[in-house]
Amino acid sequence: MTERADDYGQYWDLYVQSIFPQLRATHDPAAERLHWPGDEWGTPEIWDKIYAMVFAPELDPPPARAIEIGPGSGKYTAMVLERCPDVQVLALDVSAAYLSVLEARLAPEIAAGRLFTRRLLPEWDYFDRLVRERGWEGSVDLVFSIDAMVHVDLQYLVAYWLAAARALRPGGKMIMSVADATSPHGFDKLMADVPNYFSTQGKITSKFEWLCPPMVSHVLERIGFDVRFFPKLAGRDCWFVATRRPADPIPASPAAPAR
Ligand SMILES: C[S@@+](CC[C@H](N)C(=O)[O-])C[C@H]1O[C@@H](n2cnc3c(N)ncnc32)[C@H](O)[C@@H]1O
């Protein structure tokens, strides 16, 4: 790609405004099914299977309040809204362009007061502030993020995990996929991406930020979650549900920066 993004959210705007239209314009017959940015990642059958394996068993009773991080064009947003009839979803994304697509795709749900969208600004407590603004702290049933946090380094991701711990009610769940360098497919991608990314050090890209199950468990358990993985889905990514422990107090905001 020749365009440059000066801000992280703008990288994803470029994907929507420039890279995806180029993909769709190719003469490859596979491009014919591409309607929304993100349709190129998987198939409707795969997304349904993910919902059946990861969401359906965890969402009983169905959530009333949910927060999605990185909805993109909303393939999972739409599924949660459709299958959980009383849910309200707050969808947070760094990309204004992705949010515009989501808002167009799910305009009826927005009009019905079931979906709210907000752009995440690069401020560490912005997620917290959006939750407080809605009066949702400590009352959210579900936080979810699929195929998005694979791009987020642990130093940034942990800000979302802390915010999720404060937003969720005791027993509330966070469902997420992150990139796993220790899985066979994850390891293969780590190796394959060496020539793609080495020269981009320090620049904004969509490279993967690698984690592994022990790191996920270690950090989430320290901030008040019990973690379970979905080994049947393990491929390039590790999938997990983290349940907010009822007995733990809500984690405080981080202290002043320590260096
Ligand atoms: C690969 S797309 C996946 C979108 C959607 N979840 C799906 O499965 O189709 C990644 C999404 O995550 C968003 N994103 C990337 N980094 C983010 C961050 N640090 N915080 C919130 N959203 C982020 C992007 O703007 C984009 O909407």
Side-chain angles (χ1 to χ4, degrees):
M1 116 181 185
T2 51
E3 298 90 340
R4 235 183 97 244
D6 294 318
D7 139 311
Y8 182 65
Q10 279 174 12
Y11 173 85
W12 292 97
D13 293 348
L14 286 176
Y15 190 87
V16 173
Q17 291 160 348
S18 168
I19 301 171
F20 179 72
Q22 284 169 32
L23 261 182
R24 202 164 50 170
T26 60
H27 296 294
D28 184 340
E32 279 169 22
R33 69 170 188 88
L34 304 183
H35 185 64
W36 305 105
D39 285 352
E40 64 281 24
W41 304 311
T43 61
E45 293 71 35
I46 291 173
W47 307 324
D48 266 345
K49 191 173 148 201
I50 287 170
Y51 193 93
M53 289 177 74
V54 180
F55 286 84
E58 301 296 333
L59 304 188
D60 184 17
R65 288 180 173 173
I67 299 175
E68 182 175 10
I69 316 168
S73 305
K75 62 170 81 91
Y76 294 101
T77 332
M79 284 195 254
V80 168
L81 284 163
E82 188 190 301
R83 297 167 201 200
C84 304
D86 297 321
V87 78
Q88 288 188 318
V89 178
L90 173 61
L92 309 176
D93 204 295
V94 289
S95 163
Y98 257 121
L99 285 174
S100 299
V101 175
L102 178 72
E103 285 158 3
R105 179 178 188 171
L106 296 175
E109 286 75 9
I110 292 175
R114 299 190 62 217
L115 174 64
F116 313 97
T117 62
R118 293 299 297 266
R119 187 161 86 88
L120 278 169
L121 300 183
E123 295 170 20
W124 69 269
D125 59 347
Y126 202 70
F127 182 142
D128 269 331
R129 278 152 54 197
L130 293 174
V131 172
R132 277 203 303 276
E133 195 181 273
R134 302 213 70 75
W136 277 15
E137 61 275 40
S139 72
V140 171
D141 305 294
L142 170 69
V143 172
F144 65 104
S145 185
I146 306 302
D147 225 7
M149 298 300 100
V150 294
H151 302 290
V152 181
D153 177 77
L154 181 60
Q155 189 62 68
Y156 313 131
L157 180 57
V158 75
Y160 293 162
W161 286 353
L162 283 166
R166 287 189 284 269
L168 286 165
R169 63 169 171 78
K173 292 177 178 176
M174 176 165 71
I175 292 175
M176 193 170 277
S177 63
V178 297
D180 180 5
T182 65
S183 74
H185 288 155
F187 182 79
D188 288 349
K189 180 166 171 62
L190 177 72
M191 295 300 129
D193 277 351
V194 169
N196 298 333
Y197 289 114
F198 193 82
S199 64
T200 69
Q201 287 183 80
K203 300 205 176 85
I204 298 171
T205 67
S206 59
K207 87 173 178 68
F208 275 31
E209 302 295 345
W210 296 98
L211 283 169
C212 62
M215 287 172 75
V216 169
S217 300
H218 179 84
V219 177
L220 286 173
E221 282 168 12
R222 292 286 300 271
I223 61 171
F225 288 97
D226 290 322
V227 183
R228 252 186 307 119
F229 294 93
F230 295 93
K232 285 195 184 145
L233 265 177
R236 182 199 68 190
D237 301 341
C238 81
W239 296 71
F240 61 88
V241 56
T243 305
R244 182 80 182 83
R245 272 198 294 269
D248 286 24
I250 293 179
S253 295
R259 296 195 59 88

